Amino acid sequence: MIPYVREIDIEYGRCDQVSPLIRRVTANNPGPFTFLGTGTYIVGRGEVAVIDPGPDDPAHLDAILQAVSGEKITHILITHHHSDHSPLAGPLKARTGATIYGCAVAGHEEADTGEVRMEAGHDHDFRPDISLCDGGVVLGRGWTMDAIPTPGHTSNHICYGLREENACFSGDHIMGWSTTVITPPDGDMTAYLASLDDIRSRKFDVLWPTHGPPIRDVDAFIAAYIEHRQERVDQILGALKAGPARINELVPRLYADVDSRLHPAAARSMLAAMIHLVRRGQLKTDGAPGPDSTYRLAG
């Protein structure tokens, strides 16, 4: 069972000092994919970095600028291109002259379909000034950030490791309040699991997700995240022992205790798992794995 952490004291627009080098300002955009809102992080003093400035909200822009009154924003770091993370980067750059860092999404994504949206939306226009798709080190006054490519939730997701506090800004890759949505074709379960292993191997003392409170028992939490994904895989493999099936046949069986209105979202998540299992040689299907394919156990 995942040991979720959901308790957090926030007030929209307020700047909270959450560690010696880190401040947080939370945007007023609560929702099913953003929890209580986007937590924008400010790192350093005097000349600072802003991580995930959030949605294009003038009130949130004003709150960030007020939080750094008398200081200079030199760097804007983006974890990924979803609309609750990156759109305010442009307006913030326009007001401060800061350089935007991150990774532009490659290729094209399918629109969310079904009765339940799988995400808060996409910022397809996001283009950083400096690309960190291959990782790298970002230096500021009094702080050092390692850009860690963590594809999975999206193809362009990046976590940022703050060396001075052995802390990681985990974006939507690892969140304390919820599991992470993996939606093909841009989301990729195989890449996601590898990225989880990468972050776990770095032995951070604390994770700062963009939504919700920090995760301090890092290794145990990531282990539970991985175990949860494996349980879902085992359920699929167990169900297919009864014979070949399509995703729309499996979802009502494996998610019988879940509100049927959420089944379209479950089907998208299951597709990510199916693609992963076909790659691993545990499942077979005719042609490329897709939402309408028939899946069967290999061998």
Side-chain angles (χ1 to χ4, degrees), residues 144-286:
T144 310
M145 211 80 71
D146 292 300
I148 308 165
T150 45
H153 173 62
T154 62
S155 60
N156 66 333
H157 197 286
I158 294 175
C159 292
Y160 295 95
L162 177 60
R163 292 185 187 178
E164 286 76 8
E165 294 191 0
N166 195 34
C168 178
F169 298 95
S170 58
D172 283 358
H173 183 58
I174 305 169
M175 300 181 292
W177 73 281
S178 174
T179 55
T180 297
V181 172
I182 311 294
T183 307
D186 192 52
D188 187 297
M189 184 68 73
T190 306
Y192 180 72
L193 293 172
S195 296
L196 281 181
D197 285 337
D198 185 8
I199 294 299
R200 189 181 186 188
S201 72
R202 293 172 186 263
K203 305 295 183 183
F204 289 110
D205 291 331
V206 59
L207 306 180
W208 294 99
T210 300
H211 309 289
I215 299 163
R216 299 192 183 278
D217 194 356
V218 175
D219 188 74
F221 194 91
I222 297 178
Y225 241 44
I226 294 170
E227 183 179 356
H228 169 77
R229 297 289 178 181
Q230 187 59 50
E231 287 172 354
R232 286 299 189 194
V233 164
D234 291 343
Q235 288 176 346
I236 293 169
L237 295 174
L240 289 176
K241 287 181 180 179
R246 299 167 69 181
I247 289 175
N248 63 2
E249 297 167 335
L250 291 173
V251 166
R253 291 160 55 187
L254 298 187
Y255 292 83
D257 58 342
V258 174
D259 188 328
S260 62
R261 291 174 296 179
L262 297 176
H263 285 185
R268 299 285 292 278
S269 179
M270 187 177 290
L271 174 58
M274 293 298 198
I275 295 170
H276 174 64
L277 289 169
V278 169
R279 285 178 182 153
R280 288 170 55 94
Q282 292 179 268
L283 294 183
K284 289 185 177 181
T285 186
D286 295 329

Side-chain angles (χ1 to χ4, degrees), residues 101-125:
Y101 296 76
C103 178
V105 68
H108 301 283
E109 299 169 296
E110 295 175 354
D112 287 330
T113 58
E115 299 173 54
V116 179
R117 287 178 61 85
M118 289 292 286
E119 259 299 341
H122 309 302
D123 177 15
H124 289 293
D125 294 330

